[in-house]
Amino acid sequence: MHRTITIQPETFPLSTPFRISRGTKTAAEVVTVRIEQEGAAGRGECVPYPRYGETIDSTIAAIDAVRDALESGAGREELLRLMPAGAARNAVDCALWDLEARLAGSDVATMIGLKQPIGPIATAMTVGLDTPDRMRVAAAALADVPLIKVKVDRSDPAAQLRAVRDAAPLPRLIVDPNESWTIEDVRSLQQLLLDLRVDLLEQPLPAADDAALTGFVSAIPIAADESVHEASNLSALPDGYGVVNIKLDKAGGLTAALELAQEARRRGLDLMTGCMVCSSLSIAPALMIAVDSVFADLDGPLWLAHDREGGVECVAGKLSAPRPGFWGDS
């Protein structure tokens, strides 16, 4: 067996800036991996994330380091031993899934035994961090979608959230402080979150401060994002969390994400599927997890000025799978 591996950094400018408590993005910086074998080619994409010490250069170097093994035929299970969880492994793992499906004349959904088709999925549509007045305007444009995710910080989350709910009274709400709150903030904002009918609070505390959630009973479910990357992290997760946000870039690919999903369910945790700001090539494999998740937050490609040809489509806040042949089918 011989394979050819291509590693390509790519930049996708955003149509509008994406702001969270940690900073602002104006482009999606991704690494794309292409693996060719026997006339078939599989693709995978990852988004190196500075929060985890990843860069474009370090990600390319990590993939280059396993090039010989991949070209000699290393598969997904061996990859789990060769590379740690993270963006680099995600791109390779997803490329291998795509390649396997094409070589087998099958599709990934069948290979993993999905019990339901990947129909339109309600995805969170993000209102980025801004002044309350600007967040109100952004929310008004999303007033008819099923689910909104609101990025907040510590400056004035009450005003930010009230502005969004005033402009969009009907959608379900996810509130995401991106690790910017304290446990005192979480406690003091409980009643407001109830009053505004918030469905989920995502990673309010820095992951290093997780212990503060031990024994904490929240009025609404709290999701772990930065606190959980792969299945082995679940044993240390405080009982204040009731939901796990699975991102393939954190888990290091679909293979590890499926393991994380299974273990989270075994522990009685609900699932959320998330993403970075990315193209549809990152979203296609994430849909394999999202189809069985309570929440999906997969609007990454919707921030792009131009997505990859044949990618996902979103109508009224519901995301449809990419066109046949885009990823994961023959």
Side-chain angles (χ1 to χ4, degrees):
M1 178 192 299
H2 180 75
R3 297 176 178 152
T4 300
I5 315 298
T6 305
I7 311 167
Q8 180 68 46
E10 297 185 78
T11 299
F12 293 86
L14 306 191
S15 56
T16 57
F18 181 84
R19 296 184 179 90
I20 66 172
S21 62
R22 278 193 291 268
T24 301
K25 290 179 70 75
T26 58
E29 305 281 349
V30 311
V31 174
T32 305
V33 172
R34 179 182 174 92
I35 305 178
E36 298 180 60
Q37 177 186 329
E38 299 172 11
R43 298 185 301 162
E45 174 186 288
C46 70
V47 183
Y49 201 39
R51 167 66 176 80
Y52 307 130
E54 298 171 336
T55 67
I56 294 291
D57 288 344
S58 70
T59 298
I60 292 173
I63 299 169
D64 256 329
V66 297
R67 181 187 291 273
D68 288 347
L70 291 171
E71 290 182 341
S72 299
R76 292 181 292 102
E77 293 303 318
E78 187 173 352
L79 190 68
L80 295 175
R81 297 187 292 273
L82 291 172
M83 302 181 77
R89 194 176 76 189
N90 178 34
V92 177
D93 180 79
C94 290
L96 288 172
W97 274 104
D98 190 22
L99 179 64
E100 286 179 41
R102 294 177 191 278
L103 289 172
S106 184
D107 60 84
V108 173
T110 299
M111 291 164 63
I112 65 176
L114 282 186
K115 297 180 175 61
Q116 54 183 311
I118 301 176
I121 294 174
T123 180
M125 303 292 285
T126 304
V127 173
L129 177 63
D130 212 321
T131 65
D133 285 345
R134 288 177 178 168
M135 293 176 74
R136 179 181 287 105
V137 172
L142 300 173
D144 295 325
V145 304
L147 180 63
I148 289 177
K149 180 171 180 175
V150 190
K151 296 288 189 176
V152 299
D153 59 9
R154 290 198 73 207
S155 63
D156 196 348
Q160 294 162 350
L161 293 173
R162 287 192 181 102
V164 170
R165 183 49 97 193
D166 286 347
L170 298 180
R172 303 175 75 198
L173 285 187
I174 299 172
V175 173
D176 187 6
N178 284 107
E179 301 183 278
S180 65
W181 287 4
T182 66
I183 189 62
E184 289 75 21
D185 296 324
V186 176
R187 293 181 189 279
S188 66
L189 289 166
Q190 289 282 294
Q191 189 58 52
L192 177 68
L193 298 176
L194 279 175
D195 292 345
L196 298 183
R197 293 175 286 111
V198 171
D199 287 88
L200 185 69
L201 177 61
E202 183 180 350
Q203 193 72 45
L205 308 182
D209 295 343
D210 266 352
L213 289 172
T214 302
F216 181 71
V217 180
S218 177
I220 63 167
I222 300 179
D225 181 1
E226 286 84 355
S227 293
V228 174
H229 291 234
E230 52 187 335
S232 61
N233 301 143
L234 292 174
S235 59
L237 198 67
D239 56 3
Y241 287 115
V243 180
V244 172
N245 186 356
I246 299 177
K247 292 178 179 173
L248 272 61
D249 277 313
K250 291 188 304 175
L254 179 59
T255 303
L258 289 166
E259 179 185 355
L260 172 56
Q262 181 179 29
E263 179 61 16
R265 288 195 196 94
R266 190 187 71 80
R267 292 172 179 265
L269 296 164
D270 285 331
L271 303 183
M272 174 181 181
T273 305
C275 69
M276 308 302 185
V277 181
C278 58
S279 87
S280 285
L281 189 54
S282 285
I283 300 303
L287 290 172
M288 305 297 152
I289 304 293
V291 70
D292 288 324
S293 296
V294 176
F295 297 96
D297 176 23
L298 299 175
D299 68 340
L302 307 184
W303 288 85
L304 305 185
H306 299 286
D307 192 9
R308 297 182 192 270
E309 184 69 24
V312 298
E313 294 185 358
C314 188
V315 177
K318 292 190 176 181
L319 202 66
S320 295
R323 297 175 195 169
F326 181 82
W327 181 89
D329 55 8
S330 56

